[in-house]
């Protein structure tokens, strides 16, 4: 591949769908959207602190994160990360991306770093009971993440695991095993930090949840898992420098924003994010929140969904190939997967794969990727390919910034505020009313009347 550095955007499979002149035609709008983002003249500009985060972060707090991670590694077999949405998806995505697929399943005597488990991302009593069972009698710590401290799902989970810590260690020692990531000054968790002396880290005011993976929100759990978070930040810093300076023709993030919006204007309103490595599944989940919350408002926006191949070719492949033609695909392709294995040579052909003997599974996976691109492109589904060099912290940091920058530009390009999420509150208000939260009596009466 020519000029493959850390990430390469490949639009060659779009030739049937995008005319050569269209990139030039949308270029002035892309440049305007980028200028709105970079200058701070766009709406909600106060939420752009993530933009220079890779080079302008609190170095003292960063050192405290690394020290806290070492402390957790030394005294805990499990870290329970409590958060929902951006408060867990970034960390989960990064840990899965940077570790082998069964990292979290290894027994304690086979693992160097703590098991990272997640809670507070649902309201399932069954899930919490299963998680408690997995922890068993092992030593554990908790990292609770919430800007307000009053989000229902993590608040319930924190109460449960706070009690478990006290029951196991007593109040004084339990307090040493609680790490809080929250607002610098306000919110119930900040008050609990003051009251109990928990070690705490700050969610910057100008960083929304879906852009927060490179803040303490993501960095502490990622560091506890054994990842070099300095390399992660250095990769993001490299991307920051490149995407700020390079023109559209040389700028992978701007090209991605441009092409997906050209396709959107042609009626391709659903974007499927796809990968060929199972441990990219949560990369897709992180991307779905980033794209969905940033762009899905004002009754417009590209709908984000995902699939993991070749697995999902056996469930969604038929629809993608011959269903409604409102789909576009964005494929993230790892150029150098960390491991491989040969197809064994048996000299037999009962399973019909003798022709693959001696070839590597990655080779077969590559050919599956090439064949799917060809089939789907010929079948009426435009494909964009994002080639990523490897699964290392530096490259992941670069890729994180690539998607954050591209989606922010894409929001402005589509006349959307990419940094708010007003619709998220609607279900919460109804839930508070139905649960009988004080102050919601009128809404509850209205709901009951409409039922």
């Amino acid at each position: 591949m020519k000029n493959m550095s850390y990430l390469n955007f490949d639009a060659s499979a779009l030739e049937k769908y995008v005319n050569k002149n269209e990139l030039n035609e949308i270029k002035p709008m892309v440049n305007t959207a980028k200028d709105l983002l970079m200058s701070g003249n766009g709406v909600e500009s106060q939420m752009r602190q993530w933009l220079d985060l890779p080079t302008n972060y609190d170095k003292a707090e960063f050192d405290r994160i690394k020290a806290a991670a070492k402390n957790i590694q030394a005294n805990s077999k499990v870290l329970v990360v409590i958060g929902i949405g951006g408060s867990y998806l970034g960390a989960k995505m990064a840990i899965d991306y940077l570790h082998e697929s069964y990292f979290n399943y290894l027994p304690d005597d086979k693992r160097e770093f703590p098991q990272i488990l997640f809670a507070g991302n649902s309201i399932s009593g069954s899930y919490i009971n299963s998680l408690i069972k997995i922890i068993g009698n092992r030593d554990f710590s908790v990292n609770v993440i919430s800007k307000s401290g009053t989000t229902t799902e993590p608040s319930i989970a924190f109460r449960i695991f706070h009690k478990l810590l006290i029951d196991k260690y007593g109040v004084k020692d339990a307090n040493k095993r609680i790490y809080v990531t929250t607002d610098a000054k306000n919110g119930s968790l900040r008050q609990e930090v003051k009251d109990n002396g928990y070690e705490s880290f700050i969610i910057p005011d100008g960083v929304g949840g879906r852009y927060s993976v490179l803040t303490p929100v993501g960095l502490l759990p990622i560091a506890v898992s054994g990842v070099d978070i300095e390399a992660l930040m250095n990769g993001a810093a490299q991307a920051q420098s490149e995407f700020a300076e390079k023109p559209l023709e040389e700028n992978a993030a701007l090209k991605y924003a441009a092409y997906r919006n050209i396709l959107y204007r042609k009626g391709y309103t659903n974007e499927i994010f796809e990968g060929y490595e199972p441990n990219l599944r949560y990369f897709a989940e992180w991307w779905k929140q980033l794209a969905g919350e940033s762009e899905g408002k004002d009754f417009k926006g590209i709908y984000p969904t995902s699939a993991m191949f070749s697995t999902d070719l056996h469930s969604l492949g038929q629809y993608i190939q011959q269903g409604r033609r409102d789909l576009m695909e964005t494929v993230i392709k790892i150029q150098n997967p960390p491991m491989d294995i040969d197809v064994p040579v048996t000299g037999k052909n009962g399973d019909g794969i003798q022709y693959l003997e001696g070839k590597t599974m990655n080779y077969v996976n590559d050919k599956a990727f090439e064949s799917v691109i060809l089939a789907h492109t010929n079948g009426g589904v435009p494909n964009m390919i994002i080639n990523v060099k490897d699964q290392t912290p530096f490259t992941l940091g670069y890729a994180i910034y690539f998607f954050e920058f591209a989606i922010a530009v894409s929001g402005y390009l589509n006349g959307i505020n990419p940094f708010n999420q007003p619709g998220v509150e609607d279900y919460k208000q109804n839930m508070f009313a139905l649960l009988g939260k004080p102050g919601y009596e009128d809404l509850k009466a209205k709901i009951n009347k409409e039922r």
Side-chain angles (χ1 to χ4, degrees), residues 78 80 82 117 119 125 127-142 155-175 177-178 198:
V78 179
V80 180
I82 297 175
L117 302 176
Y127 178 91
I128 289 291
N129 274 285
S130 296
L131 198 158
I132 293 169
K133 192 179 295 184
I134 285 291
I135 296 172
N137 293 321
R138 294 182 295 165
D139 287 318
F140 72 100
S141 295
V142 166
S155 293
I156 292 172
F158 183 48
R159 279 203 181 194
I160 292 167
F161 284 97
H162 188 197
K163 182 178 185 301
L164 289 173
L165 283 170
I166 292 173
D167 290 346
K168 185 175 179 67
Y169 300 105
V171 173
K172 183 177 178 181
D173 287 340
N175 289 352
R177 291 176 173 272
I178 295 172
Y198 304 144

Side-chain angles (χ1 to χ4, degrees), residues 64-373:
R64 285 200 305 112
I65 290 170
K66 292 193 284 188
K70 288 182 179 179
N71 190 48
I72 294 167
Q73 290 166 351
N75 68 19
S76 297
K77 296 296 184 183
V78 179
L79 173 66
V80 180
V81 180
I82 297 175
I84 195 168
S87 295
Y88 94 99
L89 282 172
K92 173 65 173 166
M93 170 272 289
I95 291 168
D96 281 7
Y97 183 98
L98 295 169
H99 292 284
E100 59 188 78
S101 294
Y102 289 92
F103 165 81
N104 249 352
Y105 294 86
L106 292 172
D108 290 341
D109 61 350
K110 298 291 185 182
R111 67 168 51 252
E112 184 179 357
F113 302 105
Q115 190 176 28
I116 314 294
L117 302 176
F118 293 85
N121 48 39
S122 74
I123 320 176
S124 168
S126 297
Y127 178 91
I128 289 291
N129 274 285
S130 296
L131 198 158
I132 293 169
K133 192 179 295 184
I134 285 291
I135 296 172
N137 293 321
R138 294 182 295 165
D139 287 318
F140 72 100
S141 295
V142 166
N143 175 208
V144 57
I145 305 165
S146 175
K147 205 163 196 176
S148 68
T150 58
T151 305
T152 305
E153 294 90 341
S155 293
I156 292 172
F158 183 48
R159 279 203 181 194
I160 292 167
F161 284 97
H162 188 197
K163 182 178 185 301
L164 289 173
L165 283 170
I166 292 173
D167 290 346
K168 185 175 179 67
Y169 300 105
V171 173
K172 183 177 178 181
D173 287 340
N175 289 352
K176 296 176 183 178
R177 291 176 173 272
I178 295 172
Y179 299 82
V180 174
T181 308
T182 190
D183 188 85
K185 298 177 181 179
N186 302 310
S188 64
L189 278 176
R190 179 53 59 191
Q191 186 59 49
E192 289 200 41
V193 168
K194 293 176 183 177
D195 292 342
N196 299 290
Y198 304 144
E199 181 156 12
S200 67
F201 303 96
I202 293 170
I203 303 174
D205 288 339
V207 180
R210 57 189 175 276
Y211 290 88
S212 68
V213 62
L214 298 178
T215 74
V217 169
L219 292 177
L220 179 59
I222 294 168
V224 172
S225 80
V227 169
D228 180 355
I229 57 173
E230 196 153 342
L232 187 74
M233 297 300 283
N234 288 341
Q238 179 72 27
Q240 177 189 340
S241 172
E242 292 184 15
F243 299 146
E245 299 297 330
K246 289 185 176 181
L248 172 61
E249 294 80 5
E250 303 170 20
N251 192 314
L254 292 184
K255 285 196 284 187
Y256 175 48
Y259 277 113
R260 66 197 296 270
N261 276 279
I262 291 170
L263 293 168
Y264 174 58
R265 285 154 174 73
K266 292 186 173 193
Y268 298 100
T269 55
N270 297 277
E271 182 176 5
I272 311 176
F273 186 95
E274 298 162 358
Y276 282 76
E277 296 292 337
N279 59 358
L280 294 179
R281 189 170 294 278
Y282 266 86
F283 201 118
E285 295 302 313
W286 171 79
W287 171 86
K288 283 194 288 189
Q289 186 198 10
L290 180 67
E293 277 196 352
S294 296
E295 297 185 299
K297 55 201 74 166
D298 300 332
F299 304 104
K300 55 186 175 181
I302 300 167
Y303 180 76
T305 185
S306 64
M308 286 296 124
F309 293 161
S310 64
T311 305
D312 291 334
L313 288 171
H314 296 261
S315 56
L316 298 175
Q318 171 61 41
Y319 188 96
I320 295 170
Q321 191 69 44
Q322 295 182 329
R324 293 183 61 180
R325 301 297 77 183
D326 56 1
L327 306 175
M328 57 174 143
E329 295 174 280
T330 294
V331 184
I332 183 169
K333 183 69 174 63
I334 307 298
Q335 294 299 301
N336 300 292
M339 291 181 280
D340 203 355
I341 192 168
D342 292 344
V343 178
V345 176
T346 67
K348 299 178 181 179
N349 197 35
D351 53 12
I353 62 167
Q354 189 173 26
Y355 71 102
L356 297 177
E357 289 183 346
K359 294 182 171 63
T360 70
M361 286 191 70
N362 287 344
Y363 171 83
V364 178
N365 209 19
D366 285 344
K367 296 308 171 187
F369 156 75
E370 292 172 14
S371 68
V372 171
I373 294 291

